[in-house]
Amino acid sequence: MRVLLALAGLALLGYGVAGWLDAPGHELWGRLVFAAAALVAHDFVVVPLVLATAALTTRFVPEPARRPVQAALAVGAALTAVALPFVIGAGRIADNPSAFPQHYGRGLLILLALAGLGAAAWTAARLPRGRRRKP
């Protein structure tokens, strides 16, 4: 399975690189700057936040709930990162109300609640059962 996933990842990486190289010269420079900024943001913002969150959950969350809580936090962070521009209306044009036709804040809250419920169900499944009596 790992080999298949690695091959799929390499194929997607190759597709992305081919798309970048096919871009006009002025766009290529902008894409390289964006990639460098994303790399710096990942290494100096995202990674420290993830490590701090992992340390806090390891310290304060009991063992049966630790992995479910960490997974729910990771899913919640990814959902929020994707949805936040829609929630705040970045790029909204006043004379085009159809550009953002949904209630994105409510949708994000529903998805975050589902991630929390999933973590709660996972935690409940991991809790130790009561002792059984020997016959």
PDB file of all heavy atoms in Angstrom, residues 128-134:
ATOM      1  N   PRO A 128     -12.036   1.626  28.124  1.00  0.00           N
ATOM      2  CA  PRO A 128     -12.036   0.246  28.603  1.00  0.00           C
ATOM      3  C   PRO A 128     -13.430  -0.167  29.075  1.00  0.00           C
ATOM      4  O   PRO A 128     -14.171   0.631  29.649  1.00  0.00           O
ATOM      5  CB  PRO A 128     -11.039   0.253  29.765  1.00  0.00           C
ATOM      6  CG  PRO A 128     -10.818   1.674  30.114  1.00  0.00           C
ATOM      7  CD  PRO A 128     -11.229   2.502  28.944  1.00  0.00           C
ATOM      8  N   ARG A 129     -13.773  -1.377  28.809  1.00  0.00           N
ATOM      9  CA  ARG A 129     -15.075  -1.912  29.217  1.00  0.00           C
ATOM     10  C   ARG A 129     -14.997  -2.342  30.674  1.00  0.00           C
ATOM     11  O   ARG A 129     -13.927  -2.556  31.225  1.00  0.00           O
ATOM     12  CB  ARG A 129     -15.460  -3.119  28.349  1.00  0.00           C
ATOM     13  CG  ARG A 129     -15.488  -2.796  26.871  1.00  0.00           C
ATOM     14  CD  ARG A 129     -16.706  -1.955  26.555  1.00  0.00           C
ATOM     15  NE  ARG A 129     -16.764  -1.667  25.143  1.00  0.00           N
ATOM     16  CZ  ARG A 129     -16.889  -0.466  24.634  1.00  0.00           C
ATOM     17  NH1 ARG A 129     -16.960   0.562  25.413  1.00  0.00           N
ATOM     18  NH2 ARG A 129     -16.928  -0.297  23.352  1.00  0.00           N
ATOM     19  N   GLY A 130     -16.147  -2.513  31.295  1.00  0.00           N
ATOM     20  CA  GLY A 130     -16.199  -2.982  32.686  1.00  0.00           C
ATOM     21  C   GLY A 130     -15.614  -4.385  32.811  1.00  0.00           C
ATOM     22  O   GLY A 130     -15.523  -5.152  31.859  1.00  0.00           O
ATOM     23  N   ARG A 131     -15.213  -4.718  34.045  1.00  0.00           N
ATOM     24  CA  ARG A 131     -14.643  -6.052  34.267  1.00  0.00           C
ATOM     25  C   ARG A 131     -15.711  -7.113  34.122  1.00  0.00           C
ATOM     26  O   ARG A 131     -16.843  -6.952  34.544  1.00  0.00           O
ATOM     27  CB  ARG A 131     -14.053  -6.132  35.672  1.00  0.00           C
ATOM     28  CG  ARG A 131     -12.862  -5.250  35.856  1.00  0.00           C
ATOM     29  CD  ARG A 131     -12.309  -5.485  37.213  1.00  0.00           C
ATOM     30  NE  ARG A 131     -11.173  -4.598  37.428  1.00  0.00           N
ATOM     31  CZ  ARG A 131     -10.446  -4.624  38.501  1.00  0.00           C
ATOM     32  NH1 ARG A 131     -10.708  -5.468  39.472  1.00  0.00           N
ATOM     33  NH2 ARG A 131      -9.438  -3.801  38.635  1.00  0.00           N
ATOM     34  N   ARG A 132     -15.291  -8.196  33.550  1.00  0.00           N
ATOM     35  CA  ARG A 132     -16.213  -9.328  33.408  1.00  0.00           C
ATOM     36  C   ARG A 132     -16.010 -10.285  34.579  1.00  0.00           C
ATOM     37  O   ARG A 132     -14.886 -10.492  35.034  1.00  0.00           O
ATOM     38  CB  ARG A 132     -15.942 -10.081  32.097  1.00  0.00           C
ATOM     39  CG  ARG A 132     -16.242  -9.256  30.885  1.00  0.00           C
ATOM     40  CD  ARG A 132     -16.024 -10.116  29.673  1.00  0.00           C
ATOM     41  NE  ARG A 132     -16.142  -9.297  28.472  1.00  0.00           N
ATOM     42  CZ  ARG A 132     -16.479  -9.788  27.306  1.00  0.00           C
ATOM     43  NH1 ARG A 132     -16.734 -11.065  27.176  1.00  0.00           N
ATOM     44  NH2 ARG A 132     -16.581  -9.012  26.269  1.00  0.00           N
ATOM     45  N   ARG A 133     -17.098 -10.858  35.029  1.00  0.00           N
ATOM     46  CA  ARG A 133     -17.000 -11.847  36.090  1.00  0.00           C
ATOM     47  C   ARG A 133     -16.653 -13.199  35.505  1.00  0.00           C
ATOM     48  O   ARG A 133     -17.124 -13.564  34.439  1.00  0.00           O
ATOM     49  CB  ARG A 133     -18.335 -11.963  36.817  1.00  0.00           C
ATOM     50  CG  ARG A 133     -18.625 -10.769  37.673  1.00  0.00           C
ATOM     51  CD  ARG A 133     -19.793 -11.101  38.532  1.00  0.00           C
ATOM     52  NE  ARG A 133     -20.774 -10.028  38.376  1.00  0.00           N
ATOM     53  CZ  ARG A 133     -21.988 -10.098  38.831  1.00  0.00           C
ATOM     54  NH1 ARG A 133     -22.410 -11.190  39.432  1.00  0.00           N
ATOM     55  NH2 ARG A 133     -22.803  -9.090  38.682  1.00  0.00           N
ATOM     56  N   LYS A 134     -15.836 -13.916  36.246  1.00  0.00           N
ATOM     57  CA  LYS A 134     -15.509 -15.267  35.805  1.00  0.00           C
ATOM     58  C   LYS A 134     -16.643 -16.189  36.210  1.00  0.00           C
ATOM     59  O   LYS A 134     -17.151 -16.099  37.323  1.00  0.00           O
ATOM     60  CB  LYS A 134     -14.195 -15.727  36.437  1.00  0.00           C
ATOM     61  CG  LYS A 134     -13.002 -14.954  35.922  1.00  0.00           C
ATOM     62  CD  LYS A 134     -11.745 -15.516  36.509  1.00  0.00           C
ATOM     63  CE  LYS A 134     -10.565 -14.728  35.985  1.00  0.00           C
ATOM     64  NZ  LYS A 134      -9.320 -15.234  36.504  1.00  0.00           N
TER      65      LYS A 134
END
